[in-house]
């Protein structure tokens, strides 16, 4: 049972096994996931390690697999999930797997390139087809009337006669570039050309799969020079333009070729590609797992050292003491699988190094352990606060959230997530990271919801309304005559009136048994009462939580003298000041009757006066007898002030005294040895100088610790006031939402009000979930986290288990 | 208004959280999670009991009363016992 309260005891173990069985043994250990390998070749770079070639091969395979996966998802083929989380393959399978994967890769590359080429050809031919079609259309047109300056004779020219007079250049161009093309042509040829263009109706796809619009154009021109210039312009725009001479022959060939290269061929290529990808898709997840495991195993083998004879592999691992037998059996299994006759040897060795910290967790406790670890992993065998955090974290959240209606929704949501666990785990890879986080925190969410329901019932806040489970402790009727001062006239004349607890019968004498009285929800000075209550509650919880933390840290003290030197002054300081404050709060609640309300002293002023040693003359300002109170308070403040130098100075002074004693004894040793051997003096003097430098460190360290603790006490107590602040914010937001949204519909007098209510309820629900649940929930979560950070220790190495599966 | 007593709720809730925090841990079945469950029960009992106790003590001797609107007063005068 003590195991969860402390991190586990770890041991350093040396493993010896044969080189042949090395691979299998490590794969067995990987399946177990209980060991951390130490790097025995720290001096070598990555390139010098023994198994670097195999690691490279695995990486190459991973790259191919990644490329395959992309192709498969692009083609929209569903991939089969990793079937059995099988064991890592043996070394022989590496070659097999490699050849299979490379073959698939080569096939796919070939298919892709031929597909590209075919598509390009098809596009060109299609362009040509449209071009020819357009030219044909153009020549069959009715004759056009050209302006006079272009004609040689007075009669109009048919386009066919035009072609005999001048040459033409025709081609296909992208529609967006056409205006630029036209402008350039105009400038170069100075308008001595005739250009016709029309849009191609069909759409083209270019290799990047964007849809393009293209146009065919035909330019008529005179003269050789123009032909050359236009040729150059077409080159500049990246077009292939055909001249009049070349076009005549292509007519017939074109159609034939198009039939030949019809989309049928393209389809066949696509189908073949699809088949290859589908067959790959079946196995791809399994391959990925296998390659990952192999890479991890070779990586680990790189960490081990191979001895001179090349026959023995030596590895050093950190593992929990309680798991030694499991590890041993796993090793035996591995060596049997590889068929070697010798079993591996386990040899536990002592080490001066601090072992890594390992906290064993179940699926329930792991989320809480993550929260604690996020602030800093505890030292080796330090007290682990996680078991307590399981309750205190959701509880502090609930104090800040405090609404039983919202808490109920949260509980239901968390319960749904827990019941759908199997469904969520299967979806794990596909859902976004945010819902992944939400899912892994489902137990925290459940506890937070449950505690919120409880605190909501105590705050008597359910969607900003109070529940009146028991009857209220306050009575209005008693304020009226004859028992009280009010008459009907008083009620008519003033808008608000305040109930007086002193009047007989108004306050029943005993408070509402469970939580806050429901009458406060109806009153306009609700916040005056609630603020005082919640602030005091925050301070009480803060002091209790901090004291609990200090008590827990008692378990971390190794030497008993440290307890006296550090723990006792810490606790005394805290109790003398803040413990007394808590006592004052509770005493005032219990002992000051309503009749004394006019004379009731303010705790805050009281406390300030106590710290400043100012005691005014009037005896009213004391809660209990003034003489006794004076003495008690002075005693407490003086004690607390005395703790500061105790924490600051006593421990370093004791250490200093011890050093001096050692110094004196070594000096005596030195002078005695001087008579015998003069060489060792240098060595010893060097030691004493070293010790003296350390003393400064000790003093500074102690001073920092003292200041941190004392100031921390004050500031942390104040920081717990966020419990009050956030619960106030939540309650007020809730009330505003109610007033602005459903209240409007509920107070509508017409029948239309019921229709409005339907719409408005939807708005109310959405706003409740987004603002009050999500936003406030996250905010309260953050602040509860902040309040737990005092359990953080010095960051140390966390136990990094070797388990290739875990990274999936 | 029903006259409540202070002692009855005190006794009931002390017994209730006492059961949760002191008696129930004795009945947790032995297993790897025994320590965690006992810790959880005790922490819950302490936190919840303290929270309830603070709420009831804060209202035990009220130094001022609620301030109500006159419409509310009129309503409560006739509809609350």
């Amino acid at each position: 049972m003590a195991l969860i309260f402390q991190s586990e005891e770890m041991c350093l173990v040396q493993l010896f096994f044969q080189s042949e069985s090395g691979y299998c043994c490590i794969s067995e250990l990987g399946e177990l996931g209980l060991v951390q390998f130490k790097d025995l070749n720290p001096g070598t770079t990555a390139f010098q390690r023994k198994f670097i070639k195999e690691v490279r091969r695995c990486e190459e395979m991973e790259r191919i697999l990644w490329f395959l996966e992309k192709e498969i998802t692009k083609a929209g083929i569903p991939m089969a999930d990793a079937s059995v989380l099988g064991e890592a393959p043996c070394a022989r399978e590496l070659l097999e797997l490699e050849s299979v994967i490379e073959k698939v890769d080569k096939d796919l590359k070939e298919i892709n390139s031929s597909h590209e080429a075919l598509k390009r050809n098809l596009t060109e031919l299609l362009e040509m087809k449209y071009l020819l079609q357009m030219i044909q259309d153009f020549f069959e047109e009715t004759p056009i009337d050209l302006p006079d300056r272009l004609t040689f004779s007075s009669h109009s020219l048919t386009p066919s006669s035009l072609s005999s007079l001048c040459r033409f250049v025709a081609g296909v161009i992208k529609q967006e570039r056409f205006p630029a093309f036209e402008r350039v042509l105009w400038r170069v040829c100075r308008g001595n050309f005739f250009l016709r263009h029309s849009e191609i109706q069909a759409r083209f796809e270019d290799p990047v799969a964007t849809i393009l619009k293209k146009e065919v154009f035909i330019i008529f021109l005179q003269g050789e020079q123009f032909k050359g210039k236009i040729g150059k312009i077409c080159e500049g725009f990246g077009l292939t333009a055909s001249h009049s001479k070349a076009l005549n022959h292509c007519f017939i060939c074109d159609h034939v070729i198009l039939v030949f290269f019809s989309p049928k061929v393209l389809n066949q290529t696509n189908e073949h590609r699809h088949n290859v990808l589908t067959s790959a898709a079946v196995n791809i997840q399994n391959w990925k797992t296998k390659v990952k495991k192999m890479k991890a195993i070779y990586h680990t083998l790189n960490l081990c050292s191979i001895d001179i004879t090349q026959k023995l592999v030596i590895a050093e691992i950190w593992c929990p003491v309680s798991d030694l037998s499991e590890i041993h059996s796993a090793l035996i299994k591995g060596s049997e699988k590889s068929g070697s006759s010798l079993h591996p040897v386990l040899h536990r060795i002592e080490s001066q190094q601090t072992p890594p910290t390992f906290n064993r967790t179940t699926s329930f406790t792991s989320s809480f352990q993550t929260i604690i670890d996020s602030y800093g992993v505890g030292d080796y065998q330090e007290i682990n606060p996680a078991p307590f955090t399981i309750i205190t974290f959701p509880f502090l959240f609930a104090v800040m959230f405090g609404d039983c209606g919202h808490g109920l929704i949260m509980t239901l949501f968390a319960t749904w997530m827990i019941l759908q666990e199997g469904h969520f785990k299967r979806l794990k890879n596909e859902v976004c990271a945010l819902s992944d986080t939400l899912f892994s925190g489902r137990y925290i969410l459940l506890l937070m919801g449950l505690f919120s329901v409880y605190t909501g019932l105590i705050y008597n806040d359910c969607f900003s309304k109070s529940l009146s489970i028991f009857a209220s402790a306050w009575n209005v009727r008693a304020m009226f005559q004859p028992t009280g001062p009010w008459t009907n006239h008083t009620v008519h004349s003033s808008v608000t009136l305040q109930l007086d607890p002193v009047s007989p019968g108004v306050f029943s004498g005993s408070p509402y048994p469970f939580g806050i009285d429901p009458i406060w929800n109806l009153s306009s000075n609700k916040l005056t009462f609630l603020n005082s209550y919640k602030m005091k509650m925050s301070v009480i919880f803060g002091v209790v939580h901090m004291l609990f933390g200090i008590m827990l840290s008692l378990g971390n003290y190794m030497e008993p003298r440290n307890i006296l030197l550090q723990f006792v002054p810490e606790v005394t300081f805290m109790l003398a000041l803040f413990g007394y404050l808590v006592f004052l709060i509770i005493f005032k609640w219990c002992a000051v009757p309503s009749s004394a309300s006019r004379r009731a002293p303010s705790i805050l002023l009281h406390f300030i006066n106590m710290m400043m040693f100012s005691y005014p003359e009037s005896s009213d300002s004391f809660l209990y007898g003034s003489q006794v109170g004076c003495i008690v308070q002075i005693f407490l403040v003086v004690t607390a002030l005395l703790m500061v130098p105790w924490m600051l100075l006593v421990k370093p002074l004791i250490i200093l005294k011890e050093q001096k004693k050692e110094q004196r004894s070594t000096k005596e040793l030195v002078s005695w040895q001087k008579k015998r051997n003069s060489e060792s003096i240098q060595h010893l003097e060097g030691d004493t100088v070293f010790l003296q430098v350390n003393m400064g460190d000790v003093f500074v360290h102690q001073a920092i610790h003292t200041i941190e603790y004392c100031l921390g006490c004050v500031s942390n107590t104040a920081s717990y006031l966020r419990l009050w602040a956030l619960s106030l914010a939540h309650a007020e937001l809730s009330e505003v939402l109610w007033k602005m949204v459903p209240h409007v519909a509920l107070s509508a007098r017409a029948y239309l009000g019921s229709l409005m209510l339907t719409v408005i309820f939807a708005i109310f629900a959405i706003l409740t979930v987004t603002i009050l649940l999500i936003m406030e929930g996250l905010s309260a979560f953050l602040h509860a986290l902040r309040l737990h950070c005092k359990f953080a220790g010095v960051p140390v190495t966390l136990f990094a288990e070797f388990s290739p599966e875990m990274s999936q | 208004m029903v006259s409540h007593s202070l002692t009855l709720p005190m006794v009931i809730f002390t017994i209730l959280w006492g059961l949760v925090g002191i008696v129930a841990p004795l009945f947790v079945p032995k297993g790897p999670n025994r320590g965690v469950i006992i810790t959880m029960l005790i922490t819950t009992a302490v936190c919840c009991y303290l929270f309830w106790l603070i709420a009831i003590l804060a209202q035990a001797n009220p130094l001022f009363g609620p301030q109500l609107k006159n419409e509310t007063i009129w309503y409560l005068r006739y509809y609350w016992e």
Side-chain angles (χ1 to χ4, degrees):
Chain A
M1 181 177 137
L3 289 176
I4 30 122
F5 295 100
Q6 263 184 333
S7 62
E8 295 237 354
E9 192 190 343
M10 310 288 282
C11 58
L12 187 62
V13 177
Q14 252 183 347
L15 297 173
F16 301 93
F17 38 79
Q18 286 185 311
S19 320
E20 298 96 47
S21 59
Y23 184 88
C24 292
C25 286
I26 292 187
S27 80
E28 286 295 321
L29 285 178
E31 298 291 322
L32 262 187
L34 283 173
V35 308
Q36 177 182 346
F37 280 87
K38 214 168 105 162
D39 190 359
L40 288 175
N41 307 318
T44 55
T45 63
F47 292 108
Q48 291 166 342
R49 301 214 184 224
K50 188 165 183 299
F51 292 93
I52 187 68
K53 264 200 340 259
E54 278 82 358
V55 175
R56 286 271 173 273
R57 280 157 78 183
C58 290
E59 279 179 358
E60 179 63 28
M61 279 199 279
E62 271 188 341
R63 189 194 59 80
I64 298 176
L65 284 173
W66 176 79
F67 169 66
L68 272 179
E69 206 179 337
K70 250 187 22 169
E71 289 290 315
I72 292 177
T73 33
K74 215 165 64 169
I77 303 172
M79 287 183 279
D81 282 334
S83 51
V84 184
L85 289 175
E87 297 181 349
C90 12
R92 291 182 283 277
E93 277 191 48
L94 175 65
L95 286 168
E96 210 183 284
L97 203 58
E98 210 178 353
S99 61
V100 166
I101 292 178
E102 275 176 1
K103 182 167 170 302
V104 172
D105 180 45
K106 220 168 57 168
D107 276 346
L108 200 63
K109 282 212 174 76
E110 266 180 41
I111 295 173
N112 276 347
S113 56
S114 63
H115 184 88
E116 290 296 307
L118 280 171
K119 253 193 133 176
R120 240 198 329 262
N121 276 340
L122 185 63
T123 318
E124 278 175 21
L125 290 164
L126 276 175
E127 284 179 4
M128 187 64 72
K129 173 177 155 203
Y130 285 115
L131 189 61
L132 290 169
Q133 205 161 14
M134 188 219 178
I135 294 172
Q136 213 172 14
D137 290 340
F138 186 67
F139 284 136
E140 284 165 8
E141 265 179 27
T142 52
I144 38 176
D145 284 310
L146 296 169
D148 283 338
R149 59 185 173 91
L150 280 183
T151 57
F152 296 108
S153 48
S154 51
H155 57 270
S156 51
L157 284 168
T158 60
S160 44
S161 57
L162 200 63
S163 73
S164 55
L165 281 174
C166 12
R167 304 203 174 78
F168 64 87
V169 175
V172 177
I173 183 174
K174 286 189 208 153
Q175 196 179 47
E176 57 211 11
R177 303 207 73 188
F178 184 72
F181 182 62
E182 196 177 355
R183 223 172 295 138
V184 170
L185 273 180
W186 192 262
R187 283 200 200 119
V188 167
C189 307
R190 295 196 191 107
N192 289 327
F193 68 95
F194 181 68
L195 170 71
R196 273 289 280 264
H197 65 106
S198 75
E199 202 180 307
I200 303 181
Q201 293 306 321
R203 298 273 174 266
F204 287 92
E205 244 189 52
D206 76 344
V208 201
T210 51
I211 310 283
L212 291 175
K213 285 203 229 169
K214 295 204 177 164
E215 296 206 349
V216 292
F217 64 89
I218 178 166
I219 307 173
F220 284 96
L221 38 85
Q222 262 190 325
E224 285 297 322
Q225 271 189 339
F226 279 147
K227 191 168 135 200
K229 280 187 191 167
I230 288 180
K232 287 233 164 54
I233 295 171
C234 289
E235 253 178 63
F237 274 81
L239 322 167
T240 44
S242 333
H243 300 280
S244 39
K245 295 211 177 80
L247 283 176
N248 296 327
H249 304 288
C250 293
F251 258 97
I252 306 164
C253 311
D254 182 66
H255 286 282
V256 172
I257 293 170
L258 268 184
V259 163
F260 192 72
F261 272 107
S262 73
K264 278 189 199 158
V265 179
L266 214 57
N267 275 343
Q268 269 184 0
T269 322
N270 273 340
E271 253 184 59
H272 184 49
R273 185 160 167 266
H274 194 90
N275 286 339
V276 168
L277 284 177
T278 319
S279 63
V282 173
N283 292 322
I284 192 164
Q285 293 293 354
N286 282 339
W287 287 340
K288 267 174 67 171
T289 322
K290 284 190 180 167
V291 169
K292 216 182 222 173
K293 285 192 182 176
M294 279 200 279
K295 186 166 161 208
I297 293 176
Y298 279 117
H299 212 70
T300 317
L301 274 173
N302 275 338
L303 295 177
C304 311
S305 69
I306 315 274
D307 80 328
I308 310 266
T309 62
Q310 298 283 327
K311 283 245 167 140
L312 207 57
V313 175
I314 305 173
E316 276 186 16
I317 55 170
W318 290 106
C319 70
V321 173
S322 41
D323 289 330
L324 274 175
S325 52
E326 267 184 59
I327 295 174
H328 196 73
S329 51
L331 283 171
I332 293 178
K333 207 165 93 179
S335 65
E336 277 171 10
K337 239 178 41 171
S338 70
S340 81
S341 49
L342 293 168
H343 288 313
V345 176
L346 257 146
H347 177 62
R348 186 171 165 177
I349 55 178
E350 295 299 318
S351 160
Q352 294 300 320
Q353 280 179 320
T354 327
T357 314
F358 176 53
N359 290 307
R360 209 182 286 270
T361 54
T362 64
S363 70
F364 175 68
T365 52
S366 59
S367 42
F368 298 100
Q369 190 67 46
T370 324
I371 291 180
I372 296 287
D373 286 342
S374 68
Y375 270 107
V377 181
D379 278 337
Y380 175 60
Q381 292 233 295
E382 202 184 39
I383 297 280
N384 178 23
F388 305 100
T389 317
I390 300 178
I391 296 290
T392 57
F393 179 81
F395 183 74
L396 286 181
F397 171 89
V399 172
M400 291 191 266
F401 199 66
D403 187 316
C404 63
H406 300 143
L408 190 64
I409 298 178
M410 203 182 258
T411 318
L412 291 173
F413 179 65
T415 321
W416 171 75
M417 273 208 290
I418 293 176
L419 290 175
Q420 295 291 318
E421 237 172 28
H423 180 70
F424 268 101
K425 280 200 179 132
R426 259 176 277 128
L427 282 181
K428 204 165 185 210
N429 292 328
E430 297 170 27
V431 205
C432 66
L434 194 63
S435 44
D436 219 15
T437 324
L438 203 62
F439 175 67
S440 52
R442 58 197 184 280
Y443 291 110
I444 307 182
L445 217 57
L446 176 69
L447 283 173
M448 292 193 319
L450 286 172
F451 276 114
S452 297
V453 173
Y454 179 74
T455 55
L457 285 173
I458 297 230
Y459 284 151
N460 221 343
D461 190 359
C462 177
F463 294 115
S464 83
K465 294 288 153 204
S466 278
L467 305 170
S468 188
I469 305 174
F470 311 94
S472 169
W474 294 80
N475 188 2
V476 171
R477 207 172 281 174
M479 279 300 283
F480 286 90
Q481 305 257 317
T483 42
W486 294 350
T487 57
N488 285 349
H489 178 72
T490 353
V491 177
H492 282 301
S493 53
S494 31
V495 182
T496 57
L497 289 169
Q498 187 164 14
L499 272 74
D500 186 9
V502 179
S503 269
V506 177
F507 179 65
S508 73
S510 49
Y512 192 73
F514 187 71
I516 302 290
D517 202 299
I519 199 169
W520 289 107
N521 198 270
L522 303 169
S523 61
S524 47
N525 66 343
K526 163 174 89 156
L527 287 179
T528 320
F529 170 70
L530 282 182
N531 282 347
S532 151
Y533 155 68
K534 283 183 181 173
M535 278 201 252
K536 291 176 180 171
M537 181 258 308
S538 312
V539 169
I540 295 177
F541 267 105
V543 174
V544 167
H545 198 209
M546 285 196 287
L547 272 174
F548 177 65
I550 299 179
M551 294 295 169
L552 261 194
S553 73
L554 182 62
N556 279 337
Y557 287 107
M558 296 294 162
E559 309 163 42
R561 73 158 185 196
N562 264 345
I563 299 179
L564 192 63
L565 292 175
Q566 206 150 314
F567 175 72
V568 168
E570 281 180 1
V571 172
T572 319
F573 184 81
M574 173 81 81
L575 280 177
L577 292 179
F578 298 101
Y580 182 64
L581 180 64
V582 170
F583 165 74
L584 280 179
I585 293 174
I586 300 185
F587 188 83
K588 184 176 173 188
W589 275 341
C590 297
V592 176
S594 317
S595 49
S597 60
R598 230 161 289 274
R599 298 180 289 119
S602 148
I603 291 188
L604 202 55
L605 291 175
H606 201 93
F607 199 66
I608 294 175
N609 284 338
M610 170 175 120
M611 296 304 291
M612 295 203 303
F613 289 111
S614 84
Y615 295 102
E617 286 308 313
S618 65
S619 61
D620 271 353
S621 55
F622 266 84
L623 287 173
Y624 42 96
S626 55
Q627 302 295 59
V628 177
C630 222
I631 298 173
V632 165
Q633 285 182 194
I634 295 179
F635 168 69
L636 284 175
V637 177
V638 168
T639 318
L641 288 176
L642 277 180
M643 293 298 128
V644 177
W646 183 348
M647 274 193 276
L648 185 62
L649 294 174
V650 176
K651 184 168 169 188
L653 285 175
I654 289 183
I655 294 180
L656 187 65
K657 222 169 60 170
E658 281 178 359
Q659 306 284 31
K660 285 225 171 90
K661 218 166 48 170
E662 264 184 52
Q663 260 181 314
R664 226 177 300 131
S665 65
T666 51
K667 276 218 177 88
E668 283 173 12
L669 191 63
V670 164
S671 59
W672 183 67
Q673 279 204 333
K674 244 189 198 165
K675 298 170 191 164
R676 303 185 90 214
N677 189 0
S678 53
E679 282 153 14
S680 51
I681 298 172
Q682 302 286 51
H683 175 70
L684 285 170
E685 272 183 9
D687 271 351
T688 51
V689 170
F690 177 75
L691 285 171
Q692 270 174 345
V693 168
N694 242 355
M695 275 318 298
D697 267 353
V698 172
F699 269 105
V700 169
H701 177 83
Q702 198 64 23
I704 292 176
H705 179 88
T706 309
I707 295 174
E708 200 180 21
Y709 180 74
C710 296
L711 289 181
C713 255
V714 180
S715 85
N716 284 339
T717 309
S719 133
Y720 274 88
L721 285 172
R722 71 187 66 210
L723 293 176
W724 156 63
L726 266 112
S727 80
L728 178 69
H730 189 94
E732 287 302 294
L733 266 178
S734 195
E735 201 178 308
V736 163
L737 187 63
W738 176 270
K739 274 215 183 74
M740 303 258 124
V741 186
H743 185 74
V744 171
L746 285 171
S747 47
R749 293 187 186 279
Y751 287 116
L752 196 60
S754 52
L755 187 62
M756 254 169 68
L757 187 60
T758 323
V759 173
I760 282 193
F761 183 78
I763 304 176
F764 175 68
I766 294 172
L767 284 175
T768 302
V769 169
T770 48
I771 298 180
L772 288 169
L773 282 177
I774 296 178
M775 187 188 91
E776 279 288 314
L778 281 175
S779 154
F781 187 93
L782 199 74
H783 286 285
L785 207 57
R786 161 71 183 79
L787 287 177
H788 273 79
C789 78
K790 58 189 80 293
F791 289 123
V794 175
V796 221
T797 48
L798 194 54
F799 184 61
E801 300 129 6
F802 169 60
S803 172
E805 299 168 3
M806 280 181 56
S807 43
Q808 284 177 13
Chain B
M1 171 200 76
V2 178
S3 82
H4 308 123
S5 59
L6 184 58
T7 50
L8 185 62
M10 277 285 187
V11 168
I12 292 180
F13 280 98
T14 314
I15 291 181
L16 171 70
W17 292 116
L19 278 174
V20 171
I22 304 175
V23 176
L26 299 172
F27 290 101
V28 176
K30 287 207 197 308
N33 293 323
R34 193 190 147 100
V36 180
I37 298 179
I38 292 181
T39 319
M40 280 171 65
L41 284 171
I42 298 180
T43 330
T44 314
V46 168
C47 288
C48 292
Y49 179 62
L50 190 61
F51 196 62
W52 168 81
L53 190 66
I54 292 173
I56 200 169
L57 285 180
Q59 299 177 96
N61 291 310
L63 297 175
F64 60 92
Q67 194 177 32
L68 303 167
K69 283 215 300 261
N70 54 2
E71 294 165 354
T72 319
I73 293 175
W74 205 260
Y75 180 90
L76 291 180
R77 180 186 188 185
Y78 291 110
Y79 287 102
W80 274 14
E81 287 184 339

